[in-house]
Each structure stands twice: as structure tokens, then as C-alpha cells.
């Protein structure tokens, strides 16, 4: 979906993402990414998102009022980064009277993979829960929509695969090791973090009716982890 997909033409979309260990923003217009920016680091980098959004709008030469929609990655991912991205997207969309569009982490990752690499094989987007489990979102060969909602699985619970899947996401090493232990092959795509530029391409498909609607609300496959402070 990178570059000149026909579905995004004449749409101007700002997308933001803080789901994993990258904060990013991008502007999509006239079927392509006009501007993109990102900061890697701790999960979410939420304080960077407003500045990144301002930066890409400035580089694209657009005012917020000229947007047709605002998109945000809804998860799975880290609680703080997701909420920061969603609050920014919802607030801006409300201020300019435009829709706020949700994109899953798996959709953004899958959209970032070249079509040639996806040909004839499933894409498995694997997100680390940081609790010894992973969240799996599967895509049929060449499909933009996931086969099912993300699932929370222990590594040994990964499904069998007839042909080696292409893996993306920050839990790829965990998934590779678990599949190898069962004698199953898979390929690391090298794409471990999503980017708002790819989320914007998915949002363009959604805005054009090519994907089912998804609200800009947090997608929690598991309840957020609760940290209990140490006793004094």
C-alpha cells in the first residue's frame, strides 16, 4: 500500500502512532505520503507526538483544517503510547470536524511490507505483551484486512502453518524461536515497528470504504498491566 495506491487519491490524512517503541506521524495526500517523521525509543514516546504531528503538517504544507481525516494506531500496544496517540487524533478530529479513524498495529505493519514479499504467504504480526505472551494478528496472502481479531497466545500456542509465514512486529524473535522448537519454518521480515506513514495508507483504504470501519478507540486484547508499588 505504499506509494500511489488508487484508493487514497484526493484524501488528506494525518496519522499518528505510539503503539510500540516508536512515536511517529505522517501526512498522506493525493495517493502518497507527503511527510513522515518518527522517534524510536521507549514504548510510545508519547510526549513527542504533538511535535511530530506539527512537523509533518508543516513539511506537507497543510493546515489541520485542510485534512479529510485523522488516523491513529489503536493497538495492540503499550497503554501510554496508545492513549497519547488516540487523544491527539480524537482531539484534532473534533476540533476540525473530521472523522477519527482507527488502524490496528497489525494493519500498519502489514501495510509496511512490500507486496512482492507478501505474495503467496501469510503475514503474522506478533506483538510482545511483556508478560511472556504475544498478540498475533494474521493476514492472508496479499490481504489488507486481518483474518481475525488479534489473539493473545503463549509462544507454544502459535498455530501450525502450511507454508512459512512472514513475521513482523516486536515479538518476532519470540515467535521464530517458538516455531523453530516445533520444527516449523518462518521468515523474519525485518519490520519490527509500525510507522504512521503505513497507518495512513490503511486509513485511506478505510476512508474509501475498502476496509470495514474501525473507531479511534484503544484495542486491548489483554487488560493493561497493573503495577503494584513496593511496600514501604
Amino acid at each position: 500500500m505504499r506509494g500511489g495506491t488508487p484508493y487514497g487519491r484526493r484524501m488528506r490524512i494525518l496519522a499518528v502512532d505510539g503503539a510500540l517503541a516508536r512515536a511517529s506521524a505522517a501526512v498522506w495526500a493525493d495517493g502518497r505520503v507527503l511527510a513522515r517523521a518518527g522517534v524510536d525509543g521507549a514504548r510510545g514516546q508519547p510526549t513527542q507526538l504533538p511535535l511530530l504531528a506539527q512537523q509533518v503538517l508543516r513539511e506537507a504544507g497543510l493546515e489541520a483544517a485542510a485534512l479529510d481525516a485523522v488516523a491513529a494506531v489503536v493497538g495492540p500496544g503499550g497503554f501510554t503510547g496508545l492513549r497519547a496517540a488516540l487523544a491527539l487524533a480524537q482531539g484534532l478530529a473534533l476540533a476540525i470536524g473530521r472523522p477519527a479513524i482507527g488502524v490496528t498495529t497489525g494493519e500498519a505493519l502489514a501495510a509496511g511490507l512490500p507486496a512482492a514479499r507478501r505474495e503467496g504467504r501469510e503475514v503474522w504480526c506478533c506483538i510482545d505483551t511483556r508478560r511472556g505472551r504475544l498478540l498475533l494478528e494474521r493476514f492472508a496472502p496479499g490481504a489488507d484486512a486481518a483474518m481475525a481479531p488479534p489473539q493473545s497466545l503463549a509462544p507454544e500456542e502459535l498455530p501450525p502453518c502450511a507454508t512459512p509465514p512472514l513475521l513482523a512486529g516486536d515479538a518476532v524473535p519470540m515467535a521464530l524461536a517458538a516455531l523453530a522448537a516445533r520444527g516449523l519454518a518462518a521468515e523474519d521480515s525485518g519490520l519490527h515497528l509500525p510507522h504512521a506513514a503505513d497507518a495512513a495508507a490503511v486509513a485511506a483504504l478505510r476512508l474509501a470504504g475498502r476496509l470495514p470501519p474501525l473507531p479511534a478507540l484503544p484495542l486491548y486484547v489483554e487488560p493493561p498491566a497493573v503495577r503494584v508499588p513496593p511496600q514501604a
Side-chain angles (χ1 to χ4, degrees), residues 96-165:
I96 63 176
R98 297 292 188 270
I101 299 174
V103 175
T104 72
T105 309
E107 288 174 334
L109 285 164
L113 295 169
R117 296 200 67 190
R118 297 185 59 182
E119 187 174 353
R121 63 201 311 188
E122 285 189 14
V123 173
W124 290 12
C125 296
C126 308
I127 307 303
D128 191 346
T129 68
R130 306 295 176 91
R131 300 184 228 177
R133 298 174 68 84
L134 55 83
L135 306 176
L136 176 65
E137 196 170 355
R138 298 170 63 185
F139 294 79
D144 296 314
M147 299 165 67
Q151 293 178 281
S152 174
L153 301 170
E156 62 272 15
E157 295 173 337
L158 284 168
C161 41
T163 58

Side-chain angles (χ1 to χ4, degrees), residues 28-215:
W28 170 279
D30 301 322
R32 62 191 179 92
V33 175
L34 294 187
R36 56 187 290 160
V39 178
D40 290 2
R43 273 204 176 191
Q45 296 278 359
T47 59
Q48 300 292 324
L49 287 170
L51 295 175
L52 292 171
Q54 293 174 9
Q55 176 184 335
V56 295
L57 283 170
R58 184 173 60 250
E59 291 177 1
L62 291 178
E63 298 289 337
L67 296 170
D68 296 299
V70 184
V73 174
V74 300
F79 177 85
T80 303
L82 286 178
R83 295 307 295 250
L86 287 165
L88 177 60
Q90 292 166 353
L92 182 55
L94 181 63
I96 63 176
R98 297 292 188 270
I101 299 174
V103 175
T104 72
T105 309
E107 288 174 334
L109 285 164
L113 295 169
R117 296 200 67 190
R118 297 185 59 182
E119 187 174 353
R121 63 201 311 188
E122 285 189 14
V123 173
W124 290 12
C125 296
C126 308
I127 307 303
D128 191 346
T129 68
R130 306 295 176 91
R131 300 184 228 177
R133 298 174 68 84
L134 55 83
L135 306 176
L136 176 65
E137 196 170 355
R138 298 170 63 185
F139 294 79
D144 296 314
M147 299 165 67
Q151 293 178 281
S152 174
L153 301 170
E156 62 272 15
E157 295 173 337
L158 284 168
C161 41
T163 58
L166 187 61
L167 305 183
D170 65 352
V172 164
M174 186 190 308
L176 280 173
L179 292 171
R182 291 157 52 190
L184 300 175
E187 180 186 349
D188 182 353
S189 70
L191 181 62
H192 296 170
L193 298 174
H195 198 288
D198 299 310
V202 176
L205 293 179
R206 192 151 271 141
L207 191 59
R210 302 281 178 164
L211 286 174
L214 184 67

